[in-house]
Amino acid sequence: MKSAFNLYHRLFALLFLFTLVSCAQNRTSSLTYKFYSGKTLPDSEVATLTFGERVDEFLVDGIKVKRTDFGSITLKPGVHEIEWKYRFAVSVLVNSTGWDEMEATTSIPLEAGHVYSINADRTTGRGYRMFLWISDETTGKRVFAKEI
């Protein structure tokens, strides 16, 4: 009886630890990365990039930003190169690796006082399509879009 009791405690502890690790990996940080030097500027003088629902990391001017490290970044207005990819599971009948991905790189002008979200999505089923886009959340318009 004592060994069964210890086994249940060990299984519970292992399950609890697995749950904590899983939650920690899927979190979005609330921190904002200041992507410029000098004093912190007000929101009206910087552009802000945020993560869309299915984007976990992107590169801005060659520097990687991860959702688990920062929830958003602020940068000086102007043209910036943004690169990101979207990877997802598919049937092995579609791709023998069981994965497919799409990536995009664009140089776009970012305006002061605007918030931009970097997004990815796909359709499902036969002939599925993939989409990557950047939305200006301030104006509600897409400023970049790519579809495959």
Side-chain angles (χ1 to χ4, degrees):
M1 180 75 175
K2 186 175 182 182
S3 64
F5 183 74
N6 285 336
L7 178 62
Y8 287 122
H9 276 86
R10 288 181 184 170
L11 286 174
F12 177 77
L14 186 61
L15 181 61
F16 182 73
L17 181 61
F18 177 75
T19 303
L20 284 177
V21 169
S22 295
C23 290
Q25 288 179 341
N26 293 324
R27 70 177 170 84
T28 299
S29 174
S30 61
L31 299 175
T32 297
Y33 176 57
K34 188 178 82 157
F35 199 73
Y36 55 90
S37 59
K39 66 178 184 154
T40 301
L41 299 171
D43 290 345
S44 62
E45 294 181 28
V46 295
T48 303
L49 288 176
T50 63
F51 290 90
E53 187 175 317
R54 292 182 172 87
V55 176
D56 293 322
E57 66 182 41
F58 54 82
L59 278 76
V60 178
D61 299 332
I63 297 175
K64 185 185 288 188
V65 182
K66 292 182 169 185
R67 174 188 296 270
T68 54
D69 296 334
F70 300 99
S72 63
I73 70 168
T74 56
L75 54 162
K76 289 192 174 180
V79 177
H80 294 275
E81 183 178 87
I82 301 171
E83 179 181 342
W84 75 109
K85 68 174 71 174
Y86 176 43
R87 187 170 192 217
F88 55 92
V90 295
S91 167
V92 292
L93 299 174
V94 173
N95 187 323
S96 62
T97 65
W99 296 97
D100 202 353
E101 69 180 35
M102 177 182 183
E103 60 183 66
T105 302
T106 184
S107 292
I108 61 168
L110 302 177
E111 296 181 46
H114 288 240
V115 176
Y116 300 87
S117 64
I118 300 176
N119 301 281
D121 204 356
R122 71 176 182 117
T123 62
T124 58
R126 176 175 253 146
Y128 67 90
R129 297 179 309 172
M130 299 175 281
F131 308 92
L132 297 175
W133 73 96
I134 299 174
S135 293
D136 182 336
E137 300 299 330
T138 307
T139 64
K141 296 180 181 178
R142 287 188 179 175
V143 295
F144 172 82
K146 181 178 179 181
E147 175 184 342
I148 293 181

